[in-house]
Amino acid sequence: MEDKFKKVVSHAKEYGFIFPSSEIYDGLSAVYDYGQNGVELKNNIKNYWWASLVQMNDNIVGLDSAIFMHPTTWKASGHVDAFNDPLIDNKDSKKRYRADVLIEEYCQKIESKINKEIAKAKKRFGDDFDLDQFTNTNERIIGYKEKIESITSQLAKALEGDDLKSLKKLILDLEIVDPISGTKNWTDVKQFNLMFSTKIGSTAKSSSDLYLRPETAQGIFVNFLNVQKSARMKIPFGIAQIGKAFRNEIIARQFVFRMREFEQMEMQFFVKPGTQKEWYEKWKQNRMAWHMSLGLGEENYRFHDHIKLAHYADAASDIEFNFPFGFKELEGIHSRTDYDLSQHEKHSGKKLQYFDTELNESYVPYVVETSIGLDRMFLAVLSNSLVEEPLENNSSRIVLKIPSVLSPYKAAILPLVKKDGLSEIAKDIYNKLKAEFNIIYDEKDAVGRRYRRQDAIGTPLCITIDHQTLDDNSVTIRNRDTMEQKRIAIASISDEITKEVNLKNWLGR
Ligand code: ATP
């Protein structure tokens, strides 16, 4: 797994998907830049999300609100007082950790012991192996499971009660050591607010404190009435937004999974009070169907319903994805009640209510939110698609089997050789198609090497212009995944590409 993850990170850099930020100055921790192929893939993920929500639902509209917001926004939303993570320092290594994560990682280690036992037993029992029977009767596994349950419930209790002393006690009781210094020399646990603050205005006197938004959702809440009135929306309706968010994460590891500057794709769906459970279930299913349409493998997704709910929620679930470092949160679906709008009413003194003409009364709508990290989705696609495939002649190829609707380039136009007029025909084809699709022209090196280059960046189709083209206006079209080639007429290239990458074919699946 670790090896696979390293390969994903180095592939991302080598092929222009993701670079460390300001690398010539040794980078900035947990900040990354998207390169020439990365930005295309990222834009395609955004489009796929936007089309499925805004374009395909007449009761969902978009928004692009500013990153800076009035500071009271964050008091009202609860972020000033409660957007904290518990941190702990190791006095020897001087490294900082999230106390809850140290404990969770301890549990993951126990989990991997369970998996090892299972793998051993599978080998031993062969075809007769029954997973349920084994995990429910093997004493060692039962013991491990009980330990995890006990730790998890102590952790949940401590977090819920903001009980920092118990958190530290749990770390000491479990004898958790710092992975760097190897010691148990821990400081007390402290709360750390994750918002970045800055100042607006040029003079000390007139300047005031601002925050970089830690989520895009609040921009939607404060614009709820602007959008509802100007677009004459009727409940139920949604507002979708894609934009940057900033969090001063204590530990920022795992590449673009946990960044300090990242992008969210959020949709707030406003509903009549009392109907939120029904909409919550609908959105859980809708969002999972969206993921399934990309074909990254059903087995790589699972729901994780929250038992411990945030103070504003009456139901919450994560869609977890099987990243190279295990199942982790990719998207959250939250039933947020009327908490946010009511809080903004209270702090602003302005009414944020909807007049329901059927009921002939006003109310503060309830909200069901879907919130996905764009960078995490990017990592899910990239890590799932990267494969090294053995070939017949004892060699192998690296291929990115990205859903072709998301591929940076939809096709590569390749003259077999530069001479005999083949380049001219290829350039002509390229120029005619480039307004329709994002395609690439390449005439450098032998055609086999060019195929490999396109495989490595996930281009689904390679169109090769050869000597037969001169005779009958046909070209070969090569499929990235099967490597099969067939001859088609130049006139049907556009239709072939459309068949492969058309949004309608993908979203309709
Ligand atoms: P986590 O528990 O992993 O910190 P969260 O529950 O705080 O995540 P939310 O506040 O629900 O996350 O944010 C919604 C989505 O935004 C997450 O599902 C995730 O995909 C994304 N996200 C949150 N924090 C980060 C981050 N630091 N870097 C990249 N994406 C993030």
Side-chain angles (χ1 to χ4, degrees):
M1 291 283 242
E2 213 169 276
D3 195 38
K4 160 97 201 217
F5 188 38
K6 276 189 192 146
K7 280 187 180 152
V8 171
V9 176
S10 69
H11 190 89
K13 184 168 175 218
E14 189 180 344
Y15 287 93
F17 285 92
I18 299 173
F19 306 125
S21 157
S22 23
E23 198 186 5
I24 57 167
Y25 297 104
D26 296 332
L28 184 62
S29 153
V31 186
Y32 291 90
D33 297 337
Y34 285 82
Q36 71 280 11
N37 290 319
V39 64
E40 298 291 345
L41 172 54
K42 201 174 174 197
N43 283 340
N44 292 340
I45 297 174
K46 286 189 205 177
N47 286 342
Y48 197 67
W49 183 87
W50 191 266
S52 78
L53 290 173
V54 181
Q55 193 179 325
M56 293 184 59
N57 290 288
D58 55 12
N59 62 349
I60 300 180
V61 291
L63 179 77
D64 184 13
S65 70
I67 286 170
F68 291 140
M69 297 182 73
H70 191 285
T72 310
T73 310
W74 306 110
K75 188 76 192 152
S77 68
H79 284 83
V80 171
D81 298 317
F83 195 52
N84 300 318
D85 275 343
L87 71 82
I88 189 165
D89 290 313
N90 182 276
K91 291 183 199 160
D92 299 319
S93 70
K94 310 264 183 287
K95 287 277 170 204
R96 184 156 278 188
Y97 299 91
R98 245 172 81 175
D100 54 333
V101 171
L102 279 180
I103 297 165
E104 277 167 11
E105 283 177 352
Y106 182 87
C107 289
Q108 277 162 10
K109 277 191 196 140
I110 307 178
E111 190 94 44
S112 67
K113 283 186 188 162
I114 296 180
N115 290 337
K116 265 190 200 146
E117 293 286 340
I118 293 174
K120 263 200 294 185
K122 249 189 195 160
K123 237 187 194 168
R124 192 157 16 113
F125 295 114
D127 287 346
D128 294 336
F129 182 68
D130 180 335
L131 181 65
D132 278 347
Q133 194 193 351
F134 180 70
T135 51
N136 291 326
T137 52
N138 181 287
E139 293 213 340
R140 222 176 284 164
I141 291 193
I142 293 172
Y144 286 147
K145 277 194 188 161
E146 280 171 1
K147 188 155 188 202
I148 293 177
E149 252 164 53
S150 149
I151 297 171
T152 315
S153 83
Q154 288 178 70
L155 174 63
K157 203 166 144 215
L159 290 176
E160 219 161 308
D162 248 342
D163 184 353
L164 304 182
K165 284 209 171 80
S166 294
L167 267 184
K168 176 165 183 190
K169 186 170 176 308
L170 195 52
I171 289 174
L172 294 179
D173 288 351
L174 296 171
E175 302 192 340
I176 294 177
V177 297
D178 176 7
I180 293 169
S181 66
T183 71
K184 290 175 262 182
N185 197 4
W186 297 108
T187 62
D188 286 342
V189 179
K190 279 180 286 201
Q191 288 289 20
F192 176 75
N193 192 290
L194 298 184
M195 283 198 293
F196 282 100
S197 58
T198 183
K199 292 217 179 284
I200 199 165
S202 55
T203 60
K205 231 177 166 188
S206 67
S207 69
S208 61
D209 283 328
L210 281 191
Y211 296 104
L212 297 185
R213 65 179 178 197
E215 63 175 26
T216 59
Q218 299 303 325
I220 295 180
F221 291 127
V222 300
N223 278 298
F224 156 71
L225 269 192
N226 283 337
V227 174
Q228 189 270 322
K229 288 197 166 140
S230 58
R232 304 161 71 92
M233 302 304 282
K234 277 200 154 42
I235 272 182
F237 76 92
I239 305 177
Q241 159 153 253
I242 300 175
K244 290 261 175 160
F246 303 82
R247 295 183 187 180
N248 201 358
E249 300 279 1
I250 296 170
I251 35 159
R253 281 190 264 129
Q254 293 166 324
F255 201 32
V256 295
F257 180 84
R258 191 173 297 287
M259 298 157 89
R260 298 206 163 99
E261 174 181 344
F262 59 101
E263 257 180 286
Q264 289 184 316
M265 306 194 285
E266 298 199 293
M267 196 275 297
Q268 312 291 323
F269 200 72
F270 299 91
V271 304
K272 198 162 89 184
T275 64
Q276 71 273 18
K277 278 269 150 61
E278 183 191 323
W279 283 108
Y280 167 72
E281 288 304 329
K282 262 191 202 158
W283 279 111
K284 266 178 77 174
Q285 301 318 321
N286 278 350
R287 291 302 305 144
M288 192 55 110
W290 181 84
H291 286 285
M292 292 301 120
S293 73
L294 286 169
L296 301 185
E298 241 174 83
E299 69 286 3
N300 290 319
Y301 294 88
R302 68 183 188 200
F303 280 116
H304 170 244
D305 293 332
H306 290 205
I307 301 162
K308 176 188 160 250
L309 294 169
H311 55 286
Y312 53 75
D314 67 2
S317 186
D318 296 336
I319 294 179
E320 294 185 338
F321 185 77
N322 189 11
F323 288 99
F325 36 83
F327 274 94
K328 289 268 182 274
E329 173 178 343
L330 168 60
E331 170 158 9
I333 294 124
H334 311 125
S335 175
R336 292 178 76 127
T337 68
D338 59 355
Y339 177 81
D340 301 88
L341 289 179
S342 300
Q343 281 291 101
H344 287 306
E345 273 200 327
K346 208 163 88 191
H347 283 80
S348 67
K350 310 269 167 30
K351 272 208 169 339
L352 290 175
Q353 304 198 352
Y354 171 78
F355 182 71
D356 191 322
T357 46
E358 273 166 33
L359 297 177
N360 207 21
E361 66 176 47
S362 294
Y363 53 76
V364 178
Y366 270 46
V367 171
V368 174
E369 144 185 283
T370 74
S371 172
I372 174 168
L374 174 55
D375 313 86
R376 285 192 192 177
M377 187 61 203
F378 188 104
L379 183 59
V381 172
L382 194 71
S383 58
N384 183 272
S385 308
L386 183 65
V387 283
E388 186 167 356
E389 219 173 54
L391 296 175
E392 274 168 10
N393 54 355
N394 266 344
S395 62
S396 65
R397 66 167 185 153
I398 307 271
V399 49
L400 258 191
K401 295 190 169 177
I402 304 184
S404 49
V405 67
L406 303 181
S407 291
Y409 294 106
K410 303 308 180 201
I413 311 294
L414 317 169
L416 185 65
V417 288
K418 277 188 244 178
K419 52 185 198 273
D420 304 332
L422 300 188
S423 286
E424 284 69 20
I425 302 176
K427 274 187 194 148
D428 191 45
I429 294 174
Y430 170 76
N431 285 327
K432 285 200 176 112
L433 290 173
K434 70 183 181 192
E436 212 178 331
F437 311 101
N438 193 28
I439 53 176
I440 185 168
Y441 176 83
D442 188 5
E443 60 177 23
K444 291 182 280 294
D445 303 321
V447 76
R449 289 186 63 180
R450 281 180 271 162
Y451 285 154
R452 295 288 170 273
R453 274 207 290 272
Q454 296 308 321
D455 286 347
I457 61 170
T459 309
L461 299 170
C462 283
I463 315 274
T464 306
I465 291 82
D466 56 19
H467 290 95
Q468 195 180 325
T469 313
L470 300 171
D471 297 334
D472 63 4
N473 276 334
S474 73
V475 293
T476 65
I477 183 161
R478 172 189 180 269
N479 181 292
R480 176 195 68 199
D481 299 342
T482 62
M483 293 192 288
E484 270 165 22
Q485 300 190 22
K486 60 178 183 183
R487 283 207 91 83
I488 59 165
I490 290 179
S492 47
I493 298 177
S494 166
D495 285 350
E496 287 285 334
I497 303 177
T498 303
K499 229 186 341 184
E500 179 75 31
V501 304
N502 196 347
L503 259 185
K504 196 167 93 183
N505 296 345
W506 284 87
L507 279 174
R509 293 200 319 177

